Every structure is written in structure tokens, then in C-alpha cells.
Amino acid sequence: MTEGLASTTLAQLYLAQGHPGRARVTLDEVLADDPYNGMALALRERLRVRPHAEVQARFDPGSGFGGELELHWSVSEHSPWPHPDFDSRLELVLAIARLRDGSTLRFSSRICRTPRGSERIPAPLGPASLALALVAHEHSGALRFLAVAEPLIW
């Protein structure tokens, strides 16, 4: 590229035309000149390759004292796992809120031993709600959200 031609606008044009590789190269040039360029950092984050992942939760009222939560997760077979951007650890992150008094909020996590699987855990007595996410650990130690389930209320 000609010096001075690289810009976030040019990267956006490449993206709009379906050329993500050219957009990445352009953003790398912009960031080489200005490593704190907010627009370039945001666009490069959009272009990061992420494995396709899904996570779901279901409440089963017929199991156990207060019922059970059935958690399902998967990273696509078409995405290599572990992905080059992440170490091999996947985790489910749960936030459970008791709705009766609105003041009880509990956080927990569960290690996923395989890229695809399911687990059943005891559900707290309702009414309650669950927020569930599948996260991966980057090599830097940061967490990356791969998928977020639809909220669940029981």
C-alpha cells in the first residue's frame, strides 16, 4: 500500500466489499502508526476469528427436590479446538437470581471437559432466573465470551 493510504475508512470499505483479509492488513498498518486508534482496534476486534459456539439451558421440574437445570454446550466441529487464540479450557459461567426477594444472586462456573456436552445440576427453588454463558480462556489469561444462552426463568 502507498504510505498514508491506510485508514479505518479504507478498512471499512474492504469489509463492505467482502474482503476481510485486506481489511486486516489495512488495520495492521493503521495500528502500526497509531496503536491506540480506537476505531481500528474496534474493527480489528470485529474481524477476530472466533469458533462458532452454542450454549443452552433448560429447566426440568420433574427431577430432584427443586428440579434440575440441564446445560448444553458445543463448539462447532468445523472450528478446531483448542482454537489457536485460546488455551484448551472452556467454562460455563452461571448467574442465578432468586426472584422472590430479588436480593439473592449467585455466581458459579463449571469446567467443560469436552468441546461438546451437557450436564445436569440441581436447580434452586423458584421462582428464579438463570443467565448462562460459554467462555474460553485466551492465552493472555483473559476470558472471551463465545456464546450466551437465552435467559431462563422458572
Side-chain angles (χ1 to χ4, degrees), residues 54-151:
E54 294 181 4
V55 65
Q56 299 173 341
R58 187 179 74 79
F59 174 69
D60 181 359
S63 302
F65 178 67
E68 287 185 326
L69 296 173
E70 189 175 324
L71 313 173
H72 297 273
W73 68 91
S74 69
V75 176
S76 172
E77 293 176 11
H78 302 294
S79 300
W81 195 261
H83 189 276
D85 291 344
F86 307 106
D87 71 20
S88 60
R89 200 166 84 209
L90 291 169
E91 281 188 60
L92 294 173
V93 177
L94 300 90
I96 299 174
R98 290 284 309 272
L99 302 178
R100 184 157 298 156
D101 59 12
S103 62
T104 305
L105 182 60
R106 187 180 82 188
F107 293 94
S108 181
S109 67
R110 319 229 13 122
I111 293 174
C112 304
R113 305 214 184 278
T114 61
R116 284 164 287 291
S118 64
E119 184 174 345
R120 294 175 75 92
I121 61 173
L125 291 174
S129 66
L130 169 73
L132 176 67
L134 179 65
V135 300
H137 294 258
E138 293 183 340
H139 294 296
S140 67
L143 291 179
R144 174 71 57 92
F145 284 81
L146 299 180
V148 177
E150 289 292 321

